[in-house]
Amino acid sequence: MKAKLIGFSIVLTAILTGSLTSTAQVSQPGDEWPNYGGDKGSSQYSPLDQIDSANFKKLHIAWTWRSVEEDITRTHPEIKSWVWESTPLMINGVLYISTSLSQAAAIDASTGKTKWVYDPGTWKNGTPSNNGFVHRGVAYWKSGSDERILIGTGDGYLIALNAKNGKPISTFGNHGRIDLTQELGREVSRKLYGVSSAPVICKDVVVIGTKVHDVPVSTTMPPGAVRGFDVRTGKQLWLFNAIPQKDEFGNNTWENGSWKQTGSANVWAPISADEELGYVYLPFSTPSNDNYGGNRHGDGLFGESLVALDAKSGKRIWHFQFVHHGLWDYDPPAAPNLINITTKGKPIKAVAQITKQGFVYVFDRVTGKPVWDINERPVPQSNVPGEKSSATQPFPSKPAAIDRQGVTEDDLVDYTPVLRDSALAILKKYNYGTLFTPPILEKPTILMPGIAGGASWAGAAFDPETGMFYVPSNTIPYTVRLEKSQTPGIGYYGKTVAMETLDGIPLWKPPYGRLTAIDMHTGEHKWMKPMGDLATIVPALKKLSNFPVGRSARSHVLLTKTLLFVAQEGSTQREEMSGRASSGPKFQIIDPCIVAYDKITGKLVGRIDLPRNATAAPITYLLNGIQYIAVATGGANLAPELIVLSVE
């Protein structure tokens, strides 16, 4: 009934203003999803309230859109894409989305009809770096009648398209594109360098990071510099070196001239922006290589740091390093959340960064001062020849950790004495300890959280009305074994694999996936809920547990005025075939659904089944009086399909 009343009021308003035509699509700024994270502060929040606890169970598929990447992969079966991780934008009745092959597409947001498709030909240049063919989204910019879509490609280009027809903007860069492998101060191989996340636009400056191959396959690796380009002309306005060069601030944290060859420390995750301040917030990743730093002694700024830059000039405003001399691949994996909170009666413009190591760090986003104390604590030291690990690491006093950190015997599963004894026997094969226990040569080291554990690129959501912060996380340890590198001058590299289990039962006590609600005015946890249930797919565990234990899979959150929505992924893994290159990832369908929770209590409202698991963050929008939820599904070995739901 609410939808019909909203629709009627919109129609009546349009008639009275003389603006309605038979083909008009009606949406207002508050009804849209104009940025990757909803707004440029990455809140993943919408004020829409048509879908609520009373009608949630009426949600059904309104229409679907099959990704146009299938047109290429059908005729080129050698192309193996990753799962479809793209989150669309919705502006003025049009959805803008990217495909795993770095294509861009525009879709009618009410019918699912394709309006245009642009193919940059990324697939013709071979498989991109790191996870290969994967992409997460695009950015939108408008000035008067000039509307543009900006996309970074897997093979290292920044492209500007006309939002109305998908054609390259001829006056931007070189006929619509900029080669990002150029002007970096060292020669860069396109095979090791690309883009997978959407850029952000602040003060008419396109700010873009890159993804760089993690493992050093050459002595000199591509740098993870971030750049700002004029959104109209494509002119490069500034470059910020992730690894400070000679005479730059932070260069002294790279000992023995290691700044000359070390690469990565890139910003592969989404970026956030404060248009009022004119600042962008950059989550920098681990320098290469991930698990051995014998060739890069020192803390290594700006690796694994949050850096605030002036968007117009690229000038550093402030920074904070989460991990000194990183050895665990604990790069901040998601966009920083820009939040406004009140602490001890003082209003603060804050920024919260979720991390793989399971912490949430919170700062005044103007000054960089921590909202709650962050203390440097001694951590275990490396005994690997040539290594020089940091004596301390930063631990926030608030909020408390969002997931399991480190390993002790007390953490082991104890459903039965036999099961616990088996877990103890396995544990003895590994090196383990507290958070930040470094890798060693003698045996594999357990990383808890692992490289895919703690928080992930799925991000967190913030409610501006209540100050509540919702963070999904995984208890998914990995093991890392240091092996001798065949690349001259590298020394060692880390080979990481998922931790073994007891016939599918993790060695640890549950939950294995969780959703944590934090009051960001106080920094206190309000509730935690296990996400998913591993027992539904592990028969042995089902016999032992009579309550949901959670499941180690990425959970994507969407927050509205009425509900907290969560879509959980299936499992994805790469398969290596004997004597052949990787056959690409295989994606399993496991309990595909969207669930809804009461935002205050965490009580489950209901679930809606999907044809396959969600693989990206959902969005919501209101169009012609109807609220929709859209989410990407599938990819890899499954059909990549955008699922759009409504209650109408």
Side-chain angles (χ1 to χ4, degrees):
M1 186 64 176
K2 186 182 294 185
K4 293 180 180 178
L5 290 175
I6 292 174
F8 175 76
S9 65
I10 292 174
V11 172
L12 179 60
T13 301
I15 290 173
L16 291 175
T17 59
S19 62
L20 184 69
T21 68
S22 60
T23 59
Q25 292 183 320
V26 183
S27 65
Q28 301 300 319
D31 303 335
E32 300 179 335
W33 195 272
N35 299 281
Y36 176 84
D39 51 54
K40 292 184 181 181
S42 303
S43 70
Q44 298 188 198
Y45 173 84
S46 168
L48 298 180
D49 62 359
Q50 186 182 113
I51 301 171
D52 56 23
S53 57
N55 62 16
F56 171 77
K57 292 182 180 179
K58 296 181 181 178
L59 271 178
H60 63 276
I61 296 176
W63 54 265
T64 64
W65 183 81
R66 202 68 159 256
S67 174
V68 292
E69 70 189 68
E70 280 199 322
D71 296 339
I72 295 173
T73 57
R74 271 197 302 266
T75 55
H76 294 273
E78 72 279 6
I79 294 175
K80 305 295 182 182
S81 70
W82 195 240
V83 293
W84 193 23
E85 296 183 347
S86 186
T87 292
L89 312 181
M90 201 293 279
I91 300 104
N92 196 29
V94 181
L95 290 166
Y96 299 98
I97 197 166
S98 63
T99 75
S100 297
L101 304 189
S102 299
Q103 300 160 291
I107 310 163
D108 186 300
S110 61
T111 66
K113 182 180 179 181
T114 302
K115 298 177 75 70
W116 56 256
V117 175
Y118 174 78
D119 181 8
T122 295
W123 55 276
K124 299 176 183 178
N125 284 324
T127 302
S129 66
N130 272 351
N131 283 341
F133 287 107
V134 62
H135 208 275
R136 299 196 176 100
V138 301
Y140 171 87
W141 175 85
K142 179 180 180 180
S143 178
S145 61
D146 187 357
E147 296 181 71
R148 300 186 180 189
I149 295 296
L150 285 298
I151 182 172
T153 67
D155 57 345
Y157 291 94
L158 172 62
I159 299 174
L161 304 172
N162 184 314
K164 297 182 179 68
N165 57 30
K167 297 183 182 301
I169 304 291
S170 61
T171 54
F172 181 90
N174 183 12
H175 300 289
R177 65 168 57 196
I178 296 165
D179 187 346
L180 296 174
T181 66
Q182 303 301 304
E183 300 183 25
L184 288 170
R186 65 179 73 159
E187 188 175 346
V188 169
S189 167
R190 204 174 297 283
K191 293 291 185 183
L192 305 177
Y193 190 90
V195 180
S196 58
S197 291
V200 71
I201 303 168
C202 183
K203 299 294 183 182
D204 291 343
V205 178
V206 184
V207 181
I208 190 166
T210 56
K211 63 170 183 170
V212 178
H213 207 294
D214 284 3
V215 179
V217 295
S218 64
T219 304
T220 300
M221 290 292 289
V226 174
R227 284 175 280 183
F229 297 91
D230 185 296
V231 71
R232 291 180 173 85
T233 66
K235 177 184 177 182
Q236 182 170 306
L237 302 176
W238 52 262
L239 178 150
F240 182 83
N241 284 309
I243 298 172
Q245 302 298 288
K246 186 178 180 181
D247 298 328
E248 291 184 337
F249 177 89
N251 176 264
N252 63 322
T253 66
W254 296 86
E255 299 177 12
N256 305 320
S258 57
W259 53 273
K260 297 177 183 178
Q261 287 84 33
T262 306
S264 197
N266 52 301
V267 177
W268 61 264
I271 300 167
S272 297
D274 185 323
E275 282 279 3
E276 183 179 336
L277 292 173
Y279 294 171
V280 289
Y281 299 86
L282 310 168
F284 282 90
S285 67
T286 311
S288 56
N289 82 54
D290 290 336
N291 304 120
Y292 177 72
N295 301 307
R296 50 174 176 85
H297 289 172
D299 282 354
L301 287 177
F302 294 94
E304 292 170 315
S305 301
L306 180 63
V307 180
L309 299 182
D310 180 274
K312 296 287 282 187
S313 66
K315 178 184 176 182
R316 180 183 57 87
I317 305 301
W318 60 263
H319 75 276
F320 185 88
Q321 188 173 47
F322 305 115
V323 183
H324 313 312
H325 188 79
L327 300 174
W328 303 271
D329 195 13
Y330 280 162
D331 44 359
N337 296 87
L338 307 190
I339 62 179
N340 294 330
I341 57 177
T342 300
T343 302
K344 295 182 179 180
K346 178 185 176 182
I348 300 174
K349 290 183 176 181
V351 53
Q353 180 68 64
I354 61 175
T355 64
K356 287 183 182 179
Q357 60 264 40
F359 285 131
V360 179
Y361 294 84
V362 188
F363 309 92
D364 183 309
R365 69 176 181 266
V366 180
T367 65
K369 180 181 178 181
V371 172
W372 296 287
D373 289 342
I374 300 174
N375 304 306
E376 289 285 336
R377 296 183 189 172
V379 293
Q381 294 300 287
S382 173
N383 64 2
V384 176
E387 185 58 89
K388 188 179 175 182
S389 53
S390 175
T392 64
Q393 296 292 350
F395 289 74
S397 57
K398 282 187 175 183
I402 56 170
D403 216 296
R404 191 182 300 280
Q405 294 177 319
V407 176
T408 70
E409 291 184 4
D410 291 339
D411 297 318
L412 296 179
V413 65
D414 57 0
Y415 290 113
T416 68
V418 172
L419 203 60
R420 178 173 171 76
D421 288 344
S422 297
L424 275 168
I426 291 176
L427 191 63
K428 290 177 181 178
K429 299 189 300 182
Y430 295 93
N431 176 46
Y432 62 91
T434 60
L435 183 67
F436 299 120
T437 293
I440 62 175
L441 294 178
E442 293 81 2
K443 58 174 70 173
T445 298
I446 299 175
L447 307 184
M448 176 73 90
I451 59 173
S456 78
W457 65 263
F462 178 72
D463 192 323
E465 295 187 356
T466 65
M468 294 294 290
F469 193 53
Y470 302 92
V471 191
S473 63
N474 296 325
T475 304
I476 178 170
Y478 270 66
T479 67
V480 59
R481 178 189 290 275
L482 290 180
E483 298 189 356
K484 194 71 176 176
S485 174
Q486 300 303 309
T487 303
I490 297 302
Y492 302 93
Y493 74 96
K495 185 175 182 180
T496 56
V497 296
M499 184 68 191
E500 61 184 293
T501 65
L502 298 161
D503 294 326
I505 300 175
L507 269 63
W508 330 106
K509 297 172 184 176
Y512 308 119
R514 65 185 80 192
L515 180 65
T516 304
I518 306 171
D519 183 338
M520 294 303 276
H521 296 306
T522 65
E524 300 294 335
H525 289 201
K526 302 304 288 186
W527 52 260
M528 184 277 292
K529 298 291 180 182
M531 281 304 308
D533 189 5
L534 184 64
T536 60
I537 57 175
V538 178
L541 185 57
K542 191 171 185 179
K543 296 176 183 178
L544 298 169
S545 175
N546 57 4
F547 57 90
V549 297
R551 180 166 61 83
S552 296
R554 190 175 290 115
S555 295
H556 303 278
V557 291
L558 166 65
L559 190 61
T560 69
K561 188 177 182 67
T562 51
L563 293 172
L564 171 63
F565 302 90
V566 183
Q568 195 174 39
E569 284 194 9
S571 64
T572 311
Q573 61 185 15
R574 292 187 183 279
E575 289 190 349
E576 299 295 333
M577 300 184 70
S578 178
R580 294 173 57 186
S582 172
S583 63
K586 295 294 182 183
F587 186 57
Q588 293 178 303
I589 300 176
I590 301 175
D591 196 25
C593 64
I594 290 181
V595 295
Y597 293 92
D598 182 284
K599 298 191 298 180
I600 303 300
T601 67
K603 181 180 178 181
L604 181 67
V605 171
R607 59 171 282 160
I608 300 296
D609 292 334
L610 297 175
R612 66 193 68 79
N613 295 76
T615 51
I619 72 163
T620 188
Y621 58 92
L622 188 75
L623 188 59
N624 296 328
I626 299 174
Q627 184 181 352
Y628 296 93
I629 293 175
V631 61
T633 67
N637 57 308
L638 300 175
E641 194 167 50
L642 185 68
I643 305 293
V644 181
L645 307 114
S646 73
V647 295
E648 290 295 308

